[in-house]
């Protein structure tokens, strides 16, 4: 057998159990032990300082210099006591991962440990290596990171990590967190006036987020033996084990021991970091799993998801495992997503997406429900762009969960509530009438919870008391899609409030005014609602008739970022300006090109240097065999047929790889980045990837298993 494949398979056999232990059997004893949160601040700071700091955090205000000094001193003392020597500003650059620049507390001149307030509040990492989409020219390659007190400091890998935003010297956002925080303010500002129509006490609305994270786990040695996984994060070749998932039912259903140990281990680490993972683990496909923390305020949930992915990667390593966060590591198996469960919760504790038994609250619920549907309808392309990436295209573009068409699923109960409200448009409400009863919204049946989650094919589903944006890719930073969702919700809520106001000024009573606006919005946004099978071809046709977009490829889906209307939307809500949006467009196109380029190169290398030579070697064996048979005067038909089949695939593989290289060469001369990216999508990926894979996977079937150089699917996917 090919040596690397063989060696790696032997390594898997020799894996031993890894020991690890929880600090205590009670999770509450150590939950958040590595986090410098409010409770630790309260212990460590003078009451007057604590009051200032906690209030500033709650209101999202700046913390003054002297308080920052006190926080720094307290955080340092806490960290040193835990054996920590370094601190870092922890931020989320537009590369998609997290970045750090470590500094030591130790001051070599003074020979003491120091941590000044100024070092907590601001830092200047050498930012030139982070993508900026042309915002910073090289002579002004400076950026700075600034403390985000709303997300607590934590200790990770023996370093005190300070969550920060990352901006250019001229103030443009170079990261994911800055626009997310601004979008939170925007949606709150737009939602509060509507809430106040129902309850004057509401002063703030917070978006909440619960992230269901899917991932694959394979053995580390097998990962290292697949150049495509290492370089591109996914297998570009590999024949499906016995027709994919359906037939493998008997293989899975119970989680393999090694993975179980890994899960238990990373759960403990998550709890230490204050990440509220609940013990829910499903196996979705062979080798695929899911983890979901309980929902939190959106900024924290986002940081926690980034941290969780980082931490899982490190814990897996200790177990001889590799976690794959790629959206489609294995063809023919489920892809991985990251369901974003999103809701809006008032500072009075009301979830605005929670149906209730009180008719009044139900009207409020319906208002926010309808506003969200309308927002998705009006700005579907912005949502689509927010989840676009080269890797996610393998889910969204293909016949898989969920489709590239953005639609909203409500479930039959709510659908009929909205239909009735729309139909009853002409019902006259008289003074003294029970309007709610007359419109059929006095009570929304409780079955909603059971009724809503059936449809797994929808990219954006209402699931009982929250919306679930399911089209988000498993490797994505959720700040991108959540910023988009907050912004479009803010826009619609703001317009809605203006419309309600206008109705009231026209002489309608408040409730009637609201209902009139709801009816209009329900009618206007009806086309985006879809309850059927999102994977079906009928839906693609139907969606086209309805005029809904179906953008299957990233560079095309990103066009909307350059639209004037998008810039004015983001500017209006003070989330991103035109320059920042343009930079993001550029960075994401660059990223797309790079990803497709890498995949295409890996494909070429594997085909030319591994697969074709192996196939020829095996072919020679067959030729020898055929000649031998003939020499004995026997029929060599079977051997000769196989030889010619193999020849056919070798030729096609080689021709296509060479033609693909040629297509790349042409495109690399294209100076317009939009055209280049679109070309990579159509002339490289669409034109060649499937064809090349087809021949390579056929050869895997023909060539003697002993000869085959690449670790096979069945070897990677079924861990013990
Ligand atoms: P499933 O989608 O598999 O049915 P759950 O209903 O348990 O799973 O919830 C999935 C995620 O949604 C969890 O992270 C949960 O904390 C989160 N969630 C529940 N309620 C809300 C809410 N009001 N806002 C945001 N997220 C929520
Ligand atoms: Mg879900």
């Amino acid at each position: 057998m090919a040596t690397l494949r063989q060696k790696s398979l032997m390594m898997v056999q020799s894996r031993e159990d890894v020991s690890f232990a929880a600090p205590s059997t009670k999770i509450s004893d150590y939950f958040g032990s590595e986090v410098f949160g409010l409770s630790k601040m309260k212990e460590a700071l003078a009451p007057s300082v604590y009051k200032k700091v906690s209030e500033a955090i709650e209101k999202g205000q700046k913390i003054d210099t002297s308080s920052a000094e006190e926080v720094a001193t307290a955080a340092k003392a806490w960290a040193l006591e835990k054996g920590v020597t370094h601190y870092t500003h922890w931020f989320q650059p537009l590369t998609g991962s997290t970045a750090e620049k470590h500094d030591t507390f130790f001051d070599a001149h003074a020979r003491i440990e120091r941590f000044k307030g100024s070092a907590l509040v601001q830092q200047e990492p050498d930012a030139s290596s982070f993508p900026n989409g042309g915002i910073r020219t090289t002579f002004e390659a400076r950026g700075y990171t600034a403390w985000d007190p709303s997300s607590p400091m934590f200790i990770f890998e023996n370093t005190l990590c300070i969550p920060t935003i990352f901006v250019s010297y001229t103030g443009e956002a170079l990261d994911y967190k800055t626009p997310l925080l601004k979008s939170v303010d925007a949606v709150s500002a737009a939602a509060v006036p509507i809430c106040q129509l129902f309850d004057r006490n509401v002063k703030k609305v917070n978006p909440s987020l619960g992230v269901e994270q899917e991932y694959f786990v394979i053995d580390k040695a097998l990962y290292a033996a697949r150049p495509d996984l290492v370089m591109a994060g996914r297998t570009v070749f590999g024949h499906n084990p016995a027709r994919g998932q359906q037939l493998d039912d008997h293989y899975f259903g119970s989680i393999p021991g090694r993975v179980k140990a890994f899960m238990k281990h990373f759960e403990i680490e998550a709890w230490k970091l204050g990440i509220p993972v609940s013990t829910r683990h499903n196996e979705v496909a062979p080798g695929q799993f899911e983890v979901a923390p309980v929902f939190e305020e959106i900024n924290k949930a986002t940081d926690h998801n980034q941290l969780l992915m980082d931490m899982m990667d490190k814990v897996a390593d200790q177990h001889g495992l590799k976690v794959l966060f790629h959206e489609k590591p294995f063809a023919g198996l489920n892809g991985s997503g990251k369901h974003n469960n999103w809701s809006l919760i008032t500072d009075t504790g009301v979830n605005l997406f929670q149906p209730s038994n009180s008719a009044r609250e139900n009207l409020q619920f319906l208002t926010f429900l309808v506003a969200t549907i309308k927002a998705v309808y009006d700005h579907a392309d912005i949502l689509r762009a927010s989840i676009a990436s080269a890797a996610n295209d393998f889910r969204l573009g293909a016949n898989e969960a969920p489709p590239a068409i953005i639609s909203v699923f409500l479930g039959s109960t709510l659908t009929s509530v909205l239909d009735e409200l729309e139909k009853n448009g002409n019902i006259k409400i008289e003074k003294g009438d029970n309007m709610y009863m007359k419109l059929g919204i006095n009570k929304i049946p409780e079955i909603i919870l059971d009724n809503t989650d059936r449809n797994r094919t929808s990219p954006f589903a209402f699931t009982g008391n929250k919306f679930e944006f399911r089209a988000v890719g498993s490797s994505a930073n959720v700040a991108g899609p959540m910023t988009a969702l907050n912004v479009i919700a803010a826009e619609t809520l703001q317009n809605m409030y203006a419309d309600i106001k206008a109705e009231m000024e026209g002489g309608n009573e408040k409730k009637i005014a609201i209902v009139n606006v709801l009816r209009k919005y329900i009618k206007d946004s009806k086309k985006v609602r879809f309850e059927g099978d999102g994977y079906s071809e009928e839906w693609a046709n139907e969606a086209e008739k309805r005029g809904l977009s179906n953008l299957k490829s990233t560079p095309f889906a990103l066009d909307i970022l350059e639209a004037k209307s998008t810039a004015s939307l983001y500017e209006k809500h003070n989330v991103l300006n035109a320059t920042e949006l343009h930079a993001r467009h550029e960075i994401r196109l660059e990223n797309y090109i790079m990803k497709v380029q890498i995949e295409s190169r890996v494909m070429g290398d594997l085909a030319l240097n591994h697969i074709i030579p192996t196939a020829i070697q095996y072919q020679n064996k067959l030729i020898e065999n055929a000649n031998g048979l003939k020499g004995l005067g026997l029929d060599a038909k079977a051997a000769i047929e196989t030889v010619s089949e193999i020849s056919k695939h070798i030729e096609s593989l080689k021709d296509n790889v060479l033609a693909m290289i040629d297509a790349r060469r042409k495109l690399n001369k294209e100076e317009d980045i939009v055209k280049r990216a679109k070309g990579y999508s159509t002339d490289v990926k669409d034109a060649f990837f499937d064809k090349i894979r087809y021949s390579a996977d056929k050869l895997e079937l023909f060539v003697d298993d002993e000869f085959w150089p690449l670790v096979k699917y069945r070897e990677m996917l079924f861990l013990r």
Side-chain angles (χ1 to χ4, degrees), residues 20 31 37 74 115 122 134 182 212 329 355 391 409 432 476 504 506 532 600 691:
F20 60 90
F31 186 82
F115 184 43
Q122 194 169 315
K182 290 179 170 182
E212 297 166 70
F409 173 85
M504 283 162 71
S600 163
K691 276 193 221 160

Side-chain angles (χ1 to χ4, degrees), residues 46 75 166 248 264 344 356 362 369 399 463 480 584 627 684 706:
F166 178 40
D248 299 323
K264 280 192 183 145
L344 295 170
S356 127
N362 258 343
L369 181 86
N399 283 332
T463 49
R584 275 160 181 74
N627 283 334
V684 177
E706 284 294 310

